[in-house]
Amino acid sequence: TPAPTPTNSWKLDPLPPADYTKHPAWYMSLTPVGEMSNAQLVAESDSIAAVIADYRARDAYITDSMLVRKDDIMYQIMERAEIVRRYDQAVEYNKKYGLKIDQSDIDAYENLVAKWGDPAPLRGN
């Protein structure tokens, strides 16, 4: 499949419907996490985390689809953030100690940026 085009024109996926019986259909209609930009992933993570926190505060039933979505997003964020962390660390060591940056780290970072846009959201900035 072609790589998603990085864009700032995305919208967040809809929040889970109030009727929990509609959650399976809601889950199946969401943007696949592998197609989301870095910024969209982080925004979606924050959004679904807020919904889950609200449900927990009200002692409301949390469907598996909400928890699975949260886990899907977190796995993707962690996977991408690891690429960014490795690259940032290599750049730092290059500056401090003159160590060469491994080409595989450069390639992985450049591919991440090309596919999913600005990596700053993955850094927590």
Side-chain angles (χ1 to χ4, degrees):
T1 60
T5 305
T7 179
N8 290 335
S9 63
W10 51 266
K11 293 190 290 185
L12 289 176
D13 282 322
L15 294 175
D19 180 353
Y20 72 87
T21 63
K22 296 182 180 180
H23 282 209
W26 162 79
Y27 180 80
M28 296 307 293
S29 72
L30 299 173
T31 304
V33 294
E35 295 177 12
M36 295 174 144
S37 70
N38 296 322
Q40 186 179 10
L41 263 181
V42 172
E44 289 268 343
S45 174
D46 293 346
S47 176
I48 197 74
V51 170
I52 290 171
D54 176 61
Y55 273 57
R56 286 190 172 131
R58 293 184 290 117
D59 202 25
Y61 175 67
I62 301 174
T63 64
D64 287 343
S65 57
M66 276 196 284
L67 299 173
V68 168
R69 181 64 172 181
K70 177 182 159 273
D71 289 347
D72 289 347
I73 290 170
M74 288 309 303
Y75 178 80
Q76 190 68 220
I77 288 172
M78 290 178 359
E79 190 174 78
R80 293 182 193 181
E82 178 60 17
I83 292 169
V84 173
R85 186 199 65 76
R86 286 177 56 99
Y87 177 79
D88 288 349
Q89 184 178 46
V91 168
E92 181 183 335
Y93 286 177
N94 175 267
K95 287 178 184 175
K96 280 186 179 179
Y97 309 112
L99 297 176
K100 184 178 179 209
I101 301 172
D102 190 88
Q103 189 62 44
S104 64
D105 290 335
I106 294 170
D107 292 345
Y109 182 81
E110 289 176 350
N111 288 337
L112 179 136
V113 172
K115 287 182 182 179
W116 299 298
D118 184 9
L122 302 172
R123 292 183 176 108
N125 296 344

